[in-house]
Amino acid sequence: MIAEPSGLPAERVAVAVRDEWGVEVSSAEHLAVGAGAWHWRIGDDVGPAWFATVDAVRTADERSRLLAAYEAAAELGSQLAFVVPPVRTRDARVAVDIAPGLLLSLAPYLEGKAGSGPLADDADRGRVAGLLGDLHRHPRPRHLPVWRPRIGWHPHAGREELERCLAGQGWTGGPWSGPAERLLDDARAVLTRAIRRFLLLGAAVVGSVDRWVVTHGEPHTGNLISTPDGPRLVDWGTVCLAPRERDLREALGRAEGDDPWFAYVEAGGRPAPLSPDTLELFALEWHLSEIAEYAVRFSRAHEDTADDRRCFADLEAEVAALVAGWS
């Protein structure tokens, strides 16, 4: 998030990192990055810096699922060099409750550069495909969550909430309520068709669970860090057992030649063709889940912060992408 969370100053994060992980904290700087969590760079008097993340978990089920994902990532990180999992606390936990509904985790701070935007070309796609081939051939970790076809990244912003927003009129939550409501109203027919299409595709794919693999979920350029020791994949809160198309939509679904496929297969990925329907399913999951998140945000009380303005721009982009692909 761009803005530091209200009621959670950097000093409080620093104290938790010092107490729970035993880090000799020298500084704590909020980082205006990411869209779904808050992040800080934690300086260490006696070693490299750390990357602290606070996730909002609104239900016990959401908390359990995130902890399971972090446990799975920790297991993967012990065997795959490109996985950057949470670091365990002094008493072996992968995350701690820093406040009600807020879960704090810690990972190494990588002195490297993250990407932005889509993968540029087949050379970039090949680098990502090689990592994914290695991940997809890996045995399932013990705590790995299982993907299910559902709209929404969080329980408070799912299919029912999106449909309720589409049915509602006269949003009055804040300055972006009117523009957001008009945006969804103009795309109402496309959104309705897309939701139905998602449900049909999701029902068809759940019968192939025996072919599912360990997936990261969001292997986009923002989660890929170039370091002197090679590429590293971060942000493992979405790891789960799922169809491989969940990860491969951009790396292979948009490949212009055979090189990304060769990199994927050489690293251990299956050479079988991707399913167009399953690729479409995950494209719809992304667009509809993002739209649901922002629709709920702007239909309720909000302000005109930098995060609100960024979220409205993202909502415009996601609605435009859905209209372009599913009109």
Side-chain angles (χ1 to χ4, degrees):
M1 291 290 193
I2 295 173
E4 196 167 4
S6 175
L8 188 61
E11 177 57 30
R12 186 171 175 185
V13 176
V15 169
V17 170
R18 182 183 300 117
D19 291 346
E20 301 291 351
W21 281 270
V23 173
E24 295 295 329
V25 177
S26 59
S27 62
E29 174 192 3
H30 177 256
L31 302 174
V33 298
W38 297 274
H39 307 285
W40 292 261
R41 184 187 185 277
I42 305 296
D44 189 338
D45 278 335
V46 296
W50 301 91
F51 188 78
T53 295
V54 169
D55 290 286
V57 286
R58 296 169 177 83
T59 67
D61 180 69
E62 192 174 5
R63 180 181 183 278
S64 296
R65 187 175 181 82
L66 183 59
L67 288 174
Y70 283 162
E71 288 285 355
E75 184 177 331
L76 292 168
S78 68
Q79 301 172 57
L80 298 173
F82 62 86
V83 175
V84 184
V87 175
R88 293 190 182 277
T89 64
R90 291 191 290 187
D91 59 356
R93 290 176 291 167
V94 289
V96 298
D97 296 294
I98 192 170
L102 296 176
L103 203 59
L104 170 67
S105 60
L106 194 70
Y109 185 89
L110 300 182
E111 298 292 347
K113 184 178 180 181
S116 61
L119 296 170
D121 50 32
D122 272 7
D124 278 355
R125 294 184 187 102
R127 281 188 285 273
V128 174
L131 302 183
L132 296 175
D134 202 3
L135 176 65
H136 290 180
R137 70 175 177 84
H138 199 277
R140 174 182 178 178
R142 186 162 57 96
H143 296 282
L144 186 67
V146 178
W147 173 84
R148 290 289 179 264
R150 59 189 176 201
I151 294 168
W153 309 129
H154 305 287
H156 76 286
R159 171 195 163 194
E160 291 183 358
E161 287 73 21
L162 176 56
E163 291 177 333
R164 192 174 296 119
C165 287
L166 288 172
Q169 292 183 343
W171 298 4
T172 58
W176 293 101
S177 293
E181 184 182 6
R182 288 192 294 273
L183 190 64
L184 264 64
D185 191 54
D186 290 344
R188 182 188 306 274
V190 177
L191 280 162
T192 301
R193 285 197 300 272
I195 292 170
R196 291 174 180 173
R197 177 67 174 163
F198 175 83
L199 296 174
L200 289 172
L201 293 173
V205 80
V206 293
S208 61
V209 67
D210 58 315
R211 303 286 283 172
W212 292 7
V213 298
V214 181
T215 62
H216 176 279
E218 297 182 3
H220 52 66
T221 53
N223 287 332
L224 191 68
I225 311 295
S226 297
T227 76
D229 298 320
R232 298 291 185 266
L233 199 52
V234 301
D235 194 1
W236 288 85
T238 54
V239 64
C240 64
L241 189 74
R244 61 193 181 131
E245 285 85 354
R246 182 175 189 246
D247 280 347
L248 297 174
R249 185 163 57 94
E250 185 175 343
L252 295 184
R254 300 177 185 174
E256 298 170 356
D258 293 334
D259 286 349
W261 266 105
F262 180 78
Y264 179 69
V265 173
E266 187 178 41
R270 291 201 317 269
L274 302 178
S275 161
D277 281 351
T278 309
L279 289 172
E280 182 185 359
L281 169 69
F282 284 108
L284 284 169
E285 179 188 60
W286 178 269
H287 296 311
L288 291 171
S289 294
E290 290 286 286
I291 291 169
E293 187 78 18
Y294 300 134
V296 169
R297 181 187 185 103
F298 293 126
S299 68
R300 298 177 180 175
H302 65 275
E303 299 178 358
D304 185 22
T305 65
D307 279 315
D308 289 310
R309 292 189 290 275
R310 176 191 55 78
C311 287
F312 184 77
D314 289 345
L315 175 61
E316 285 185 307
E318 294 299 338
V319 170
L322 198 69
V323 170
W326 284 271
S327 288

